[in-house]
Amino acid sequence: MKLFIPQDMAAVAVGANRIAAAVEAEARARNMPLTIVRNGSRGLFWLEPLLEVETPAGRIGYGPLTVADVKALFDANIFEGGTHAKCVGPVEAIPFLARQTRFTFARAGIADPASLDDYRALGGYKGLETALSIGPAAIVAAVKDSGLRGRGGAGFPTGIKWETVARTGADRKYIVCNADEGDSGTFADRLIMEADPFMLIEGMTIAGIGVGATQGYIYLRSEYPFAIAMMNRAIALARRAGLLGAAINGSAHAFDIDVRVGAGAYVCGEETSLLESLEGKRGQVRAKPPLPAIKGLFGRPTIINNTITLASVPFILAEGAQRYAELGYGRSRGTMPVQIAGNVRHGGLFECAFGVTLGELVDDIAGGTASGRPVRAVQAGGPLGAYFPPSLFDTPYDYEAFAKRDGLIGHGGLVLFDDTADMARMARFAMEFCAHESCGKCTPCRIGAVRGVETFDKIAAGIEPEKNLALVRDLCETMKLGSLCALGGFTPYPVLSALNHFPQDFTASPLPLAAE
Amino acid sequence: MMAKQHSVWNPADARAIIAAELHREGAMLPILHALQAAFGYIPRDAEPLVAEALNLSRAEVHGVISFYHDFRREPAGRHVLKLCRAEACQSMGSEVTARRLLDLLGLDWGETSPDGRITIEPVYCLGLCATAPSALFDDEPIGRADQQMLETLVAEAA
């Protein structure tokens, strides 16, 4: 009998380890032979901790479980067709999962993430095989043809970046994976690294072969201890199997990867700041040009891509660029793992083709708020993304469509807020966060964010509100146009969207925080 | 839950820790993480040792340490509770919960209880945003962290 209980950080945070221990103890007490596989999460987080039982009819899920449920599951004899109130049926038939198009997350939650055999059995390393047979130029062409754009937030065409690095001559080139996933409401990078780490290794290896780079770094945030442990483990296994090192899969290509742990600076998610940090410096933003593709890490040509971007590459190579490009909307090709979070009923990762509307994602797929109250706002794209009111829920999920409505899809996060949310407080928080995380290099961000907080405090205190609101708008204009990077440059998105869509929140004094 | 054990600061151990990371490209952050893992914080006395090993000025090392939120300049309490303050957790009432807990302990963000038992720190996103509010108690992640759960945790921390 085979059971699956995720080892994912979010599943563990809600008790997966306690469930696993209780299942083991119960099985021992009843003298039942059980195999417990600690899989990755499927990304259906409202059901965690989710236990799956392998049956002839597929994997049947039970969740969200408490330790108290475990004995009852055994009493109900769920292993031989018994029923229990926490049964959610065949996991792959759960609408939230069944409605997805899982290209990049096809393997998430299915097997033990640290098993190279499982990875291969589920189609892993087919992309590398293709890559080795078609050679560098065709690899770059495939990525270009797929239409893949950077999933970190900027949406820059990945193939163009790769082409630039491939064409730039140097004694040494680097592949840097930006796994500094700091946006609130996002966890796709974490899920890739915890549930399917070899996919990222494979994607980076293909990138290395494609552009002639021999060393890769994964810059991984310290807030993700489970992902750090899993990546290190997977890298060691890949090395032992000859899939990293001096001769990739016996070929003439050398490539290796090292995990580097961040140190709690949000701004290091910005690519040039990340490179500075990797070099051992303060994570201060560099002025561009030169582009990292030409002068990146240690002054060498560097591909710096987001985790999802690199993890999308094995599929593109294995299944063909056309298969990826045929899905999508406008210039946004392929799939996007949308991460639905916050005050949400069915929160988790939803990978789908671009073009679905924001309203479908929020109301239909996520089922609205956890509190059951009406949705008041959705912040799309992390702390630097705009707050969308329900009146804009017809916006298609697409880079350009969001930009047209003064927002961004960013790294794919959606954070739901119910009607108790105070948008003036959220606007102030955007400035506060920017002040807290500013690298300090450019003045609009360093000083502007502090002035923004002070001005919001004046507005809340009823001091010349109209004059100060005009001042905030003026300040946003300066930050937007005058900042070196997206931290200062995009902080106006949440601020202005809150001001434009929820003006009533900025007139009266907000309620004290302790109020129920 | 067991409190973490750290070594008492001593330059000999620090030199060995630094030497073990020196072969890396851009060894600064790995060195600082290793020092903090060993001693629980990065004492000022460590700065000249790191500077010498990396052929940098002490000011440059100081500049790096002070830039990153993770690096501590003094020891934390025996337990560290990090509470997420980012938007997804805020949407589930994390700010109210955090304020109450801080008031209960008579602490502000970043402070340690006078008995050295616990330090409360902010964190901006643990990536557990669909099971908010989130927290990290030493190495243990906590999701759906309600008031009662956190109060029990703090009360039981020895």
Side-chain angles (χ1 to χ4, degrees):
Chain A
M1 219 102 56
K2 216 177 198 181
L3 302 184
F4 298 83
I5 304 170
Q7 56 176 300
D8 171 90
M9 182 165 161
V12 169
V14 290
N17 285 349
R18 291 191 292 275
I19 301 291
V23 168
E24 221 167 297
E26 197 66 36
R28 209 179 309 119
R30 294 176 191 236
N31 214 1
M32 279 175 70
L34 282 185
T35 307
I36 302 175
V37 177
R38 300 304 302 270
N39 56 332
S41 176
R42 301 262 194 174
L44 280 55
F45 289 114
W46 80 96
L47 290 176
E48 297 290 3
L50 174 70
L51 176 149
E52 295 178 49
V53 182
E54 196 173 68
T55 77
R59 276 157 67 165
I60 308 294
Y62 299 83
L65 295 182
T66 63
V67 169
D69 291 323
V70 171
K71 193 175 172 299
L73 289 175
F74 278 81
D75 287 343
N77 198 11
I78 57 161
F79 312 105
E80 278 158 33
T83 56
H84 185 271
K86 292 276 176 85
C87 183
V88 294
V91 174
E92 277 162 18
I94 295 170
F96 189 95
L97 192 55
R99 292 173 67 179
Q100 302 195 34
T101 305
R102 286 204 164 182
F103 283 2
T104 308
F105 286 83
R107 278 176 299 265
I110 292 181
D112 172 3
S115 164
L116 196 46
D117 289 341
D118 286 350
Y119 180 66
R120 286 189 197 273
L122 292 165
Y125 277 117
K126 273 194 191 142
L128 179 69
E129 212 173 284
T130 311
L132 285 169
S133 69
I134 63 176
I139 293 172
V140 175
V143 173
K144 227 173 139 182
D145 292 345
S146 73
L148 177 66
R149 293 167 69 175
R151 300 286 189 246
F156 187 81
T158 306
I160 306 282
K161 209 184 247 189
W162 286 29
E163 200 169 49
T164 310
V165 177
R167 281 182 184 164
T168 308
D171 59 337
R172 195 166 161 78
K173 298 180 187 178
Y174 294 99
I175 308 296
V176 175
C177 170
N178 183 345
D180 196 40
E181 183 175 54
D183 286 1
S184 176
T186 69
F187 38 77
D189 296 357
R190 186 180 69 70
L191 202 61
I192 285 168
M193 294 185 283
E194 289 190 34
D196 206 1
F198 293 111
M199 173 171 60
L200 177 58
I201 294 172
E202 186 184 352
M204 290 179 71
T205 307
I206 295 169
I209 296 166
V211 304
T214 49
Q215 179 63 47
Y217 287 106
I218 300 174
Y219 188 90
L220 218 172
R221 59 201 302 264
S222 61
E223 293 86 347
Y224 283 2
F226 286 46
I228 295 168
M230 181 57 80
M231 280 317 311
N232 278 321
R233 206 171 145 196
I235 287 168
L237 289 167
R239 264 188 211 133
R240 204 177 308 157
L243 292 159
L244 285 175
I248 300 298
N249 224 7
S251 73
H253 297 279
F255 188 71
D256 213 332
I257 299 175
D258 198 11
V259 170
R260 287 303 171 85
V261 179
Y266 175 76
V267 76
C268 289
E270 196 283 331
E271 61 179 14
T272 61
S273 158
L274 187 155
L275 294 175
E276 289 286 297
S277 184
L278 262 181
E279 290 182 7
K281 301 171 189 159
R282 292 162 68 88
Q284 285 193 310
V285 174
R286 293 178 186 170
K288 287 190 276 196
L291 295 171
I294 292 165
K295 269 184 87 143
L297 188 62
F298 301 110
R300 307 301 209 293
T302 302
I303 285 186
I304 175 160
N305 275 148
N306 176 258
T307 311
I308 305 173
T309 316
L310 289 163
S312 303
V313 169
F315 178 92
I316 291 166
L317 270 290
E319 305 289 328
Q322 193 50 42
R323 176 103 169 82
Y324 194 79
E326 69 193 16
L327 289 188
Y329 181 95
R331 293 204 294 119
S332 307
R333 308 315 306 168
T335 61
M336 182 74 191
V338 183
Q339 302 130 77
I340 316 176
N343 193 333
V344 60
R345 188 160 163 238
H346 295 161
L349 182 131
F350 192 86
E351 183 178 359
C352 59
F354 286 96
V356 57
T357 68
L358 183 55
E360 282 175 79
L361 288 165
V362 171
D363 296 324
D364 198 17
I365 290 155
T369 62
S371 62
R373 303 180 67 97
V375 177
R376 179 145 198 249
V378 175
Q379 187 176 29
L384 307 176
Y387 287 99
F388 282 75
S391 60
L392 296 180
F393 278 9
D394 61 340
T395 313
Y397 207 80
D398 159 63
Y399 291 103
E400 281 69 31
F402 267 57
K404 232 178 266 167
R405 293 203 156 156
D406 296 318
L408 47 110
I409 68 171
H411 183 55
L414 295 178
V415 175
L416 276 60
F417 290 81
D418 72 11
D419 63 352
T420 62
D422 177 347
M423 299 314 292
R425 193 185 293 286
M426 297 321 295
R428 182 192 185 276
F429 175 77
M431 287 290 192
E432 191 186 359
F433 184 70
C434 181
H436 188 260
E437 299 296 337
S438 177
C439 83
K441 184 149 176 171
C442 71
T443 317
C445 174
R446 183 183 68 243
I447 295 178
V450 177
R451 292 286 175 265
V453 173
E454 292 167 359
T455 312
F456 275 125
D457 286 344
K458 285 182 191 160
I459 294 164
I463 300 166
E464 301 185 280
E466 277 184 27
K467 199 177 134 198
N468 278 312
L469 281 172
L471 196 60
V472 167
R473 286 182 183 277
D474 188 47
L475 181 63
C476 282
E477 194 67 9
T478 304
M479 289 175 72
K480 199 170 163 180
L481 299 174
S483 299
L484 260 181
C485 83
L487 180 52
F490 287 7
T491 293
Y493 277 109
V495 174
L496 291 175
S497 59
L499 273 170
N500 292 336
H501 302 308
F502 307 94
Q504 64 277 29
D505 287 26
F506 294 83
T507 50
S509 206
L511 294 170
L513 188 59
E516 281 288 9
Chain B
M1 163 143 299
M2 286 284 290
K4 261 191 206 166
Q5 296 296 318
H6 295 296
S7 315
V8 176
W9 162 253
N10 72 87
D13 284 4
R15 281 201 180 88
I17 289 164
I18 293 166
E21 303 291 336
L22 262 185
H23 66 284
R24 298 175 186 272
E25 287 186 307
M28 175 76 90
L29 259 63
I31 287 174
L32 296 178
H33 275 303
L35 288 170
Q36 180 149 306
F39 303 114
Y41 71 115
I42 303 175
R44 288 189 188 268
D45 290 346
E47 289 176 4
L49 304 184
V50 178
E52 194 191 343
L54 294 174
N55 196 21
L56 295 170
S57 71
R58 181 172 177 174
E60 283 170 298
V61 176
H62 181 83
V64 173
I65 296 170
S66 59
F67 182 85
Y68 295 96
H69 301 303
D70 277 4
F71 298 131
R72 299 177 202 289
R73 309 319 316 267
E74 46 201 87
R78 288 192 293 282
H79 296 280
V80 176
L81 178 62
K82 295 187 181 195
L83 300 173
C84 181
R85 300 192 71 185
E87 289 89 341
C89 287
Q90 288 189 39
S91 78
M92 291 299 282
S94 62
E95 286 295 281
V96 176
T97 313
R99 192 72 259 160
R100 283 195 189 142
L101 192 70
L102 287 166
D103 288 347
L104 185 78
L105 295 167
L107 298 176
D108 206 343
W109 291 108
E111 289 181 353
T112 301
S113 59
D115 58 5
R117 213 159 49 85
I118 194 160
T119 303
I120 311 281
E121 291 180 343
V123 63
Y124 291 90
C125 200
L126 293 163
L128 314 174
C129 317
T131 48
S134 314
L136 193 64
F137 183 67
D138 297 330
D139 291 331
E140 188 191 335
I142 300 164
R144 301 179 189 132
D146 62 27
Q147 193 75 40
Q148 201 195 338
M149 190 192 285
L150 292 177
E151 284 181 15
T152 309
L153 202 69
V154 167
E156 287 173 0

